[in-house]
Amino acid sequence: MNNDVTSHLVTLRDFLRYAASRFNKAELNFGHGTDNAFDEAAFLVLEALTLPIDKLEPFLDAALLMDERQRLAELIDARVTTRKPLPYLLNKAYIQGVPFFVDERVIVPRSYIGEILAGDLLTGQEESLIPDPKVIRSVLDLCTGSACLAILAAKVFGNAELVATDLSGDALQVARVNVDKHGLASRITLLEGDLFSTLKNHQFDLILANPPYVAE
């Protein structure tokens, strides 16, 4: 690690500016929670320092300890040199403000279904598709990946039992971490299999699916 970085950059503001500059110069691609270099830099510095990701201003001029500076410098360098999505480097992604563990065993979650679950289109109003969330007793999350949608659905449909399936056993290991972290092991069953193959003739009140739609 270049000692000039950790010796000359002292505050969170310093690292925010440095990261945004490097990201722009490297012409990185965004789209995993941010869509520009500044927001990507803000997410990196706040999440890496275990600060609230929606409160940048109070911490901008805070002086950082040397180990904090080293961590930020290493992450910024890794984002540029490896070009890996930042959630993989931080092992953290957010959907609707809810945190989820992610690594390269799953696709970084970024689903409009999360917005639908949190909005009024699906529930919450008389003209919604499901006016009363309490009537939903069973939910299937097909191709669950990190289990983020199953977990969000569990929070919306408080009376429902959920099944989350995935073809990838590795992905289900990540899903298990998230289900346990959110205290939903008693309500979410994880099954490994190809689409409906493990479900036999089981029927559900609601099926969610956000399958992979990009090539390797």
Side-chain angles (χ1 to χ4, degrees):
M1 180 54 58
N2 189 332
N3 288 332
D4 286 343
V5 172
T6 54
S7 61
H8 287 88
L9 305 183
V10 177
T11 67
L12 190 147
R13 187 190 300 272
D14 293 337
F15 277 95
L16 180 67
R17 196 281 311 158
Y18 171 71
S21 294
R22 286 204 62 187
F23 296 166
N24 278 322
K25 184 177 181 180
E27 298 183 343
L28 295 182
N29 291 314
F30 306 107
H32 296 90
T34 67
D35 62 5
N36 61 80
F38 180 83
D39 288 348
E40 184 93 343
F43 178 45
L44 185 152
V45 297
L46 291 171
E47 182 63 41
L49 297 177
T50 322
L51 296 171
I53 62 167
D54 58 348
K55 293 182 180 179
L56 179 62
E57 188 66 31
F59 309 106
L60 278 174
D61 295 311
L64 304 179
L65 299 173
M66 182 55 69
D67 61 335
E68 293 175 322
R69 297 185 219 172
Q70 290 172 343
R71 173 161 169 73
L72 292 183
E74 289 169 0
L75 282 169
I76 293 166
D77 190 63
R79 180 67 177 95
V80 170
T81 58
T82 69
R83 306 185 80 85
K84 289 182 180 180
L86 189 53
Y88 285 157
L89 299 176
L90 293 169
N91 295 127
K92 185 71 68 68
Y94 289 81
I95 299 289
Q96 293 300 305
V98 180
F100 298 99
F101 172 83
V102 296
D103 62 22
E104 292 177 66
R105 291 173 289 179
V106 296
I107 295 174
V108 177
R110 46 177 182 172
S111 173
Y112 286 118
I113 297 175
E115 296 180 15
I116 293 172
L117 285 169
D120 292 331
L121 175 63
L122 192 63
T123 64
Q125 294 183 352
E126 188 173 331
E127 63 271 21
S128 299
L129 296 176
I130 306 171
D132 185 4
K134 295 191 293 295
V135 304
I136 300 298
R137 299 284 180 168
S138 60
V139 177
L140 169 63
D141 179 23
L142 206 60
C143 307
T144 192
S146 61
C148 59
L149 293 183
I151 290 166
L152 292 178
K155 297 177 182 294
V156 173
F157 303 106
N159 292 335
E161 297 296 320
L162 298 95
V163 175
T165 70
D166 204 287
L167 180 64
S168 168
D170 288 341
L172 288 174
Q173 292 177 13
V174 176
R176 172 57 61 195
V177 171
N178 285 314
V179 168
D180 290 345
K181 279 182 175 291
H182 286 274
L184 291 168
S186 63
R187 292 182 55 205
I188 299 178
T189 299
L190 301 175
L191 296 177
E192 181 177 350
D194 188 4
L195 297 175
F196 298 96
S197 63
T198 62
L199 301 173
K200 299 182 180 179
N201 294 320
H202 193 90
Q203 294 185 327
F204 297 89
D205 295 330
L206 178 66
I207 297 176
L208 307 173
N210 186 41
Y213 48 83
V214 294
E216 288 190 25

